[in-house]
Amino acid sequence: MGVLKQAYQRSDICIVTGGLGPTRGDITRDVIAGLLDENMQIDPVLKENISGYFARMGLEMPENNLKQAMLIPSAISIPNPLGTAPGWWVEKNGKIIVSLPGPPGEMQPMWQREIYPRLENKGGAVILSRTLKTWGLSEARIDELVGRYMSLPSPTLALYAKADGIHMRITAKASHKNYAAELIREREAELRQILKNNIWGADNDVLEEVTGRLIAGKKLTLAVAESITGGLLSYSLNSHNLENGHFLKGSIIANDSEVRSSLGITEGPGPSEAGLQSAVRMAAIARDKFSADIGMAIDGCTSPDQISGTAKVFIAISMRESEHQFAQAYTWRPHQLVRRSVLHAIFNLRQFLLDMQ
Amino acid sequence: MGVLKQAYQRSDICIVTGGLGPTRGDITRDVIAGLLDENMQIDPVLKENISGYFARMGLEMPENNLKQAMLIPSAISIPNPLGTAPGWWVEKNGKIIVSLPGPPGEMQPMWQREIYPRLENKGGAVILSRTLKTWGLSEARIDELVGRYMSLPSPTLALYAKADGIHMRITAKASHKNYAAELIREREAELRQILKNNIWGADNDVLEEVTGRLIAGKKLTLAVAESITGGLLSYSLNSHNLENGHFLKGSIIANDSEVRSSLGITEGPGPSEAGLQSAVRMAAIARDKFSADIGMAIDGCTSPDQISGTAKVFIAISMRESEHQFAQAYTWRPHQLVRRSVLHAIFNLRQFLLDMQ
């Protein structure tokens, strides 16, 4: 209550997430009502929505969920298509309080569909951002290459180290949307000149999806074999390409040496040339087993090198006609191994597909 | 700077994360130095650590990384075994500032190994927490069952809806650690009486690991077949059982109908009894293909039912001797389908193993 009061006194817009669940620990509604000195009442339409939700799920509605049908006179409810907790949009005394549920999967679509457009309609100066996403260069290296843009006042440039590479966010502030967009466009063109193919996407792009669209666009199919990554390569590709046709025909995950030899992988894995051969062989086996056009494999050994503390990973891509082949060894710290191997494999696949043209 | 100053004025301990990277946007060190009116200098030991890190990785150290070797006289550096940014522990005028790197994977071990023990040594009243983790009951249902404990002052009880189920956190404050631990032990025993086998773990327990230990302890092996979950079941089990022997012999991920029929899965998947049969068959095929003791399968259809908006998932577990078998259908909203199916399958496997005793 103290925190929201402080925020409300110094700000025109307060955005609160969480605390909209059915339990007695969920106090956001009560706090807002208390702050504005208004009484909560059960809204009949909301009540029907929530009991309908439970009915569709074939469940009985616990009495506690009725809390989520509460409204105050200054609030309108914001529909939550993915859960039982509606949000609140409250306007009073020229100020706005927005209350959204905490689970990101519920909150984000409500923000995008309902809250952001309402706020945009309120007018004022425009701040626009665009994020360019890179892979294959360290943060310090990118800072050396584009750092000169980071001290300029507009558009600003900021770097963020994310799991899927270094992100560069360009932000422009202007009186009109079009003018801000133009500033961003110019800066983006300069950055693309410098970083070229290391930029694999922008804004909401996902590397797995960008690469999946490339394969599907070429009407090619893919099969995967993994060992040390334990299924993450397959899951990453599958989960980001749900709508994109079934270019990924199937995967094998094999760690066990008995399973490996039954598949025909006789070498490695080991920290040597043999490891690279083994990965190439795994890619070809997956490709043939699932009758796919391209096979991709990640192999390696999980135990780190005694001296350097790093571990070796082998990534291979193999085309059916076999004139196209890619194999490379990487060295990483064990804790980065799985995620980095998967992203590097997908980034390599993207380059492989781009080079085919 | 304004924010840290405000925090420093009203608090005895300030903890800051992030802003310790090598770029010019990383200003945390400068802000602390400015706040305490001290000068930063390059520490020769830190400089050697960082250049050694790059040498081990076979990389050249970008000049910018020298920033990370800076110290002020009141700061001692906190080693970061997983990255180039050391933390700072600053004590001045009876107050403490802690600065840690932002990436959770680097920050958390530094907190646990270095910062938490130092803070604990400072003494004062003790606050202890313990989290019990449940699966299979809704948040509202648990609130009904244990809600009476949530209005008590000590120990307190709070519910958190997490991806791996509803967590119950018991928190006790007392003058001595042993007394707080005793309060928690009593409350835990009461909660376990009520929720029984729905509690699958506590604190840092991970469902995949708890279940993996059960299989490994029985010297059994597992094979997996998945369709709609796209590899998440395999990856979840693999990634949380790295040290736990190779009980997971291998996995097949098959979405493509051609691949399915080549494996011998002739039925479904469809929203009917046939779907359950298909899942059982998949489990047996995986079990036999990888010569494992137990086969587990998740199958289903991704397109939601027109009327209810929900989708059906089939989970099956099959033992080699085949007198043990488990198959069940679940109904979920499509956006929850993959994660819930995987957790439910692992929870079912745990129950299956417990029932074997």
Side-chain angles (χ1 to χ4, degrees):
Chain A
M1 172 66 129
V3 172
L4 185 65
K5 193 172 184 177
Q6 190 186 17
Y8 185 70
Q9 278 163 353
R10 71 181 178 200
S11 312
D12 296 326
I13 304 171
C14 299
I15 296 162
V16 189
T17 62
L20 299 181
T23 78
R24 47 207 100 175
D26 291 297
I27 58 166
T28 302
R29 280 174 294 259
D30 310 73
V31 166
I32 297 173
L35 179 68
L36 301 182
D37 201 17
E38 298 192 11
N39 286 323
M40 289 198 289
Q41 291 206 306
I42 290 179
D43 181 87
V45 177
L46 289 180
K47 184 180 168 185
E48 213 173 294
N49 286 349
I50 294 169
S51 56
Y53 178 94
F54 279 93
R56 277 195 308 281
M57 303 292 287
L59 298 169
E60 208 184 316
M61 181 176 82
E63 199 59 26
N64 292 345
N65 282 87
L66 265 187
K67 277 186 71 169
Q68 301 183 314
M70 295 282 201
L71 270 187
I72 51 171
S74 298
I76 59 172
S77 83
I78 301 293
N80 175 358
L82 301 177
T84 57
W88 278 12
W89 172 278
V90 187
E91 279 197 70
K92 193 174 188 178
N93 311 325
K95 295 194 171 199
I96 297 169
I97 300 177
V98 175
S99 161
L100 294 172
E106 299 180 23
M107 184 263 283
Q108 282 160 4
M110 293 169 75
W111 171 264
Q112 273 147 21
R113 281 180 225 157
E114 302 279 348
I115 307 303
Y116 185 82
R118 282 167 207 262
L119 290 175
E120 204 176 19
N121 277 340
K122 298 276 164 192
V126 177
I127 297 176
L128 265 191
S129 282
R130 182 163 167 83
T131 299
L132 301 179
K133 300 179 175 181
T134 73
W135 184 259
L137 298 173
S138 74
E139 188 176 6
R141 180 72 188 126
I142 292 185
D143 190 44
E144 284 180 353
L145 289 169
V146 306
R148 63 179 179 278
Y149 295 112
M150 292 174 67
S151 35
L152 300 181
S154 176
T156 59
L157 183 68
L159 302 187
Y160 300 90
K162 299 282 182 177
D164 61 351
I166 309 298
H167 292 188
M168 303 183 292
R169 194 176 67 188
I170 313 165
T171 305
K173 188 175 176 180
S175 53
H176 288 283
K177 204 171 175 173
N178 291 350
Y179 184 50
E182 183 54 32
L183 288 173
I184 288 177
R185 232 181 339 260
E186 283 169 14
R187 183 57 36 86
E188 177 175 348
E190 292 168 305
L191 294 170
R192 284 189 182 272
Q193 272 272 310
I194 298 167
L195 295 166
K196 302 201 172 68
N197 246 343
N198 284 102
I199 298 173
W200 57 261
D203 290 339
N204 292 324
D205 285 346
V206 174
L207 180 60
E208 289 87 338
E209 200 188 336
V210 166
T211 309
R213 274 202 303 268
L214 261 176
I215 309 180
K218 288 174 183 288
K219 306 231 183 301
L220 294 171
T221 56
L222 180 72
V224 164
E226 323 179 40
S227 62
I228 47 160
T229 45
L232 184 62
L233 176 57
S234 306
Y235 178 62
S236 300
L237 285 168
N238 268 315
S239 62
H240 290 104
N241 288 287
L242 298 176
E243 328 260 287
N244 210 354
H246 291 299
F247 71 84
L248 185 56
K249 296 192 81 174
S251 309
I252 307 169
I253 304 158
N255 263 316
D256 192 79
S257 61
E258 187 189 318
V259 170
R260 291 170 67 91
S261 60
S262 84
L263 290 170
I265 309 165
T266 46
E267 307 92 345
S272 59
E273 270 305 301
L276 218 46
Q277 289 309 311
S278 169
V280 172
R281 184 130 181 73
M282 279 172 70
I285 289 170
R287 187 197 66 202
D288 294 344
K289 232 178 180 52
F290 294 107
S291 309
D293 300 307
I294 303 174
M296 173 154 66
I298 301 180
D299 201 14
C301 66
T302 39
S303 43
D305 182 86
Q306 289 300 322
I307 298 157
S308 68
T310 58
K312 266 219 164 63
V313 172
F314 308 101
I315 296 173
I317 299 170
S318 173
M319 274 287 276
R320 193 174 275 283
E321 273 79 36
S322 94
E323 70 250 43
H324 284 80
Q325 192 170 295
F326 168 94
Q328 202 161 324
Y330 299 92
T331 303
W332 284 306
R333 313 272 295 181
H335 76 285
Q336 308 171 314
L337 192 114
V338 171
R339 187 93 183 102
R340 294 221 120 205
S341 301
V342 165
L343 286 165
H344 228 95
I346 298 172
F347 187 74
N348 287 333
L349 178 62
R350 173 177 166 274
Q351 299 286 33
F352 184 86
L353 292 163
L354 289 176
D355 291 344
M356 279 174 61
Q357 283 165 335
Chain B
M1 171 67 128
V3 172
L4 186 63
K5 194 172 183 176
Q6 191 187 18
Y8 184 72
Q9 279 165 354
R10 70 182 178 200
S11 312
D12 296 326
I13 303 171
C14 299
I15 295 161
V16 190
T17 62
L20 299 181
T23 77
R24 46 206 101 176
D26 290 298
I27 57 167
T28 301
R29 280 175 293 260
D30 309 74
V31 165
I32 297 173
L35 180 66
L36 301 182
D37 202 16
E38 297 192 14
N39 286 323
M40 289 198 287
Q41 291 205 304
I42 290 180
D43 180 86
V45 177
L46 289 180
K47 183 181 167 184
E48 212 173 293
N49 288 349
I50 294 170
S51 56
Y53 178 93
F54 278 93
R56 278 195 307 281
M57 302 294 286
L59 298 169
E60 210 185 315
M61 181 178 79
E63 198 58 27
N64 292 345
N65 281 86
L66 265 186
K67 278 184 70 168
Q68 300 182 314
M70 295 282 203
L71 270 186
I72 52 171
S74 298
I76 58 171
S77 83
I78 301 292
N80 175 357
L82 302 177
T84 58
W88 279 11
W89 172 279
V90 187
E91 278 197 69
K92 194 175 186 176
N93 311 325
K95 295 194 171 197
I96 296 169
I97 301 177
V98 175
S99 160
L100 293 171
E106 299 180 22
M107 185 264 281
Q108 283 161 2
M110 293 169 75
W111 172 264
Q112 275 148 18
R113 280 179 226 157
E114 303 277 349
I115 306 303
Y116 184 81
R118 282 167 206 263
L119 290 174
E120 206 176 18
N121 277 339
K122 297 277 162 192
V126 177
I127 297 176
L128 267 190
S129 281
R130 181 161 167 87
T131 298
L132 301 178
K133 300 178 175 182
T134 73
W135 185 259
L137 297 173
S138 74
E139 188 177 5
R141 180 72 187 126
I142 292 185
D143 190 44
E144 284 180 355
L145 289 169
V146 306
R148 62 180 179 279
Y149 296 110
M150 293 174 68
S151 35
L152 301 181
S154 177
T156 59
L157 183 68
L159 302 187
Y160 300 91
K162 298 282 181 180
D164 60 353
I166 308 299
H167 292 189
M168 303 183 292
R169 193 175 68 189
I170 313 165
T171 304
K173 188 176 175 180
S175 53
H176 287 282
K177 205 170 172 174
N178 291 349
Y179 185 49
E182 183 53 34
L183 289 173
I184 287 177
R185 232 178 342 257
E186 283 169 15
R187 183 58 35 88
E188 177 175 347
E190 293 169 304
L191 294 170
R192 284 188 182 274
Q193 273 272 311
I194 298 166
L195 295 166
K196 301 201 171 68
N197 246 342
N198 284 103
I199 297 174
W200 56 261
D203 290 338
N204 292 323
D205 285 345
V206 174
L207 180 59
E208 289 88 337
E209 201 187 336
V210 167
T211 309
R213 275 201 302 267
L214 262 177
I215 308 179
K218 288 173 183 288
K219 307 230 184 300
L220 294 172
T221 56
L222 180 72
V224 163
E226 323 179 39
S227 61
I228 48 161
T229 45
L232 185 63
L233 176 57
S234 306
Y235 177 62
S236 301
L237 287 168
N238 268 313
S239 62
H240 290 104
N241 289 287
L242 297 177
E243 329 260 288
N244 210 354
H246 291 298
F247 72 83
L248 185 55
K249 298 193 79 176
S251 308
I252 307 169
I253 304 157
N255 263 316
D256 191 79
S257 62
E258 187 189 318
V259 170
R260 291 171 65 92
S261 60
S262 83
L263 290 170
I265 309 164
T266 46
E267 307 91 347
S272 58
E273 269 306 300
L276 219 45
Q277 288 309 312
S278 170
V280 171
R281 185 132 179 69
M282 278 173 70
I285 289 171
R287 189 195 66 202
D288 294 343
K289 232 179 181 52
F290 294 107
S291 309
D293 300 309
I294 303 173
M296 174 155 65
I298 301 180
D299 201 15
C301 68
T302 39
S303 44
D305 182 88
Q306 289 299 322
I307 297 156
S308 68
T310 58
K312 265 220 165 62
V313 173
F314 308 101
I315 295 173
I317 299 170
S318 173
M319 274 286 276
R320 193 174 276 282
E321 273 79 38
S322 93
E323 70 251 42
H324 285 80
Q325 191 171 297
F326 168 94
Q328 203 161 324
Y330 299 92
T331 303
W332 284 306
R333 313 273 294 181
H335 76 286
Q336 309 171 313
L337 191 114
V338 171
R339 186 95 183 101
R340 295 221 119 204
S341 301
V342 165
L343 285 165
H344 228 97
I346 298 172
F347 187 74
N348 287 334
L349 178 61
R350 172 178 166 274
Q351 299 286 33
F352 183 85
L353 292 163
L354 289 176
D355 291 346
M356 278 174 61
Q357 283 165 336

